[in-house]
Amino acid sequence: MKLIALLLSLISTSAYCGTLHLDKAATGKVRQATDIRYANHDEKQTYQLKIGKQWINGSCSSSGTGNLHALLLDMNFDGQADLWVTGYTDSQGRIRCSDVWLWDSPAKQYRFNKPLSAIPNLDISMADRAIQGGIPNCGCAAQCFYEDSYKWRADKLIATARREQDCERYREYRLNEKNDLIIVKDEIIDSGNPGQQAIEKRNVVDWQRHAHIMRKSWE
């Protein structure tokens, strides 16, 4: 049994052939260089992150012709460089997953952050310390979308606003005095109203320029 377990471990390890060593950050101070190894399974790409002496499986994976990207960036604006792994999950490049590993200063290691990692098409604006995410095209002849805005408050990520549009209506939400999102606008879709269109992200970190690309074996 021990021999079988060892063989399975070797097979699992050998599947990860490419390795990235990240030691420079787009923003934030690097406390520990990051080692990432990745594997390609047909058209799917996965990765593992080395924490201490252990390799941890990541959950974000790319599919189709896209690649995973990895960069060090201050994601919670505490001055420390965190790790952001991101990649497109569909061949059309509409939906992008993220794995965010925040730097834990007392423990001196990276820890997976579920709230940030759960945001689809995550974008970070360093200028106003804002975080955005959403789906720019969810159907209805490209008229369906939703956008969420977040901010850090006392080390907790909270949603501060939301814009959404389905096939029939456009709605906006804002925080009330109890920090709950409440609806402040509800309108029938008017194709001539520029406010009822998905907003192009501006002043966000150009992750494709800063990131290291985990290239597919045939590229």
Side-chain angles (χ1 to χ4, degrees):
M1 292 296 293
K2 289 184 178 180
L3 179 59
I4 293 174
L6 176 60
L7 288 174
L8 289 175
S9 176
L10 289 175
I11 291 172
S12 175
T13 301
S14 63
Y16 286 86
C17 52
T19 302
L20 290 179
H21 181 75
L22 302 179
D23 57 4
K24 294 182 180 180
T27 61
K29 188 171 183 179
V30 179
R31 298 293 184 181
Q32 175 180 297
T34 309
D35 287 316
I36 300 175
R37 64 187 184 191
Y38 57 96
N40 302 314
H41 311 280
D42 295 327
E43 292 190 356
K44 183 178 180 180
Q45 193 172 45
T46 60
Y47 80 98
Q48 290 183 329
L49 171 66
K50 190 175 185 181
I51 297 180
K53 296 182 179 180
Q54 185 179 6
W55 288 96
I56 306 297
N57 291 323
S59 57
C60 180
S61 63
S62 67
S63 62
T65 58
N67 295 284
L68 285 175
H69 293 64
L71 71 160
L72 295 173
L73 178 75
D74 185 5
M75 305 286 282
N76 57 353
F77 316 118
D78 65 350
Q80 310 302 323
D82 309 300
L83 173 65
W84 183 11
V85 178
T86 185
Y88 288 103
T89 61
D90 64 328
S91 59
Q92 296 179 337
R94 295 190 306 176
I95 301 175
R96 181 167 50 81
C97 69
S98 291
D99 277 2
V100 178
W101 302 78
L102 297 181
W103 176 252
D104 184 339
S105 293
K108 296 182 179 180
Q109 67 179 28
Y110 295 98
R111 293 192 185 279
F112 185 74
N113 184 270
K114 288 184 179 180
L116 272 178
S117 302
I119 300 174
N121 296 317
L122 175 65
D123 277 314
I124 305 290
S125 174
M126 304 304 298
D128 53 6
R129 296 192 169 192
I131 298 169
Q132 297 175 317
I135 303 295
N137 179 4
C138 50
C140 302
Q143 291 193 39
C144 174
F145 67 87
Y146 74 85
E147 301 167 343
D148 293 321
S149 299
Y150 305 84
K151 282 196 174 183
W152 289 101
R153 184 173 295 173
D155 295 328
K156 183 179 180 181
L157 188 68
I158 64 169
T160 58
R162 180 180 178 91
R163 297 173 70 242
E164 65 180 18
Q165 183 167 292
D166 55 26
C167 299
E168 299 177 353
R169 306 195 73 84
Y170 169 85
R171 298 178 177 89
E172 290 184 7
Y173 300 79
R174 292 291 184 272
L175 281 181
N176 64 7
E177 63 278 1
K178 296 181 180 180
N179 287 331
D180 296 322
L181 282 177
I182 60 171
I183 191 166
V184 295
K185 183 179 291 188
D186 187 354
E187 302 174 345
I188 297 175
I189 291 177
D190 177 7
S191 59
N193 185 347
Q196 297 180 356
Q197 305 296 324
I199 298 175
E200 182 180 353
K201 300 293 187 299
R202 296 184 175 89
N203 299 322
V204 295
V205 173
D206 187 350
W207 55 271
Q208 290 181 311
R209 182 167 65 89
H210 290 292
H212 288 246
I213 302 174
M214 307 180 196
R215 294 198 177 278
K216 300 282 174 53
S217 56
W218 58 81
E219 293 181 315

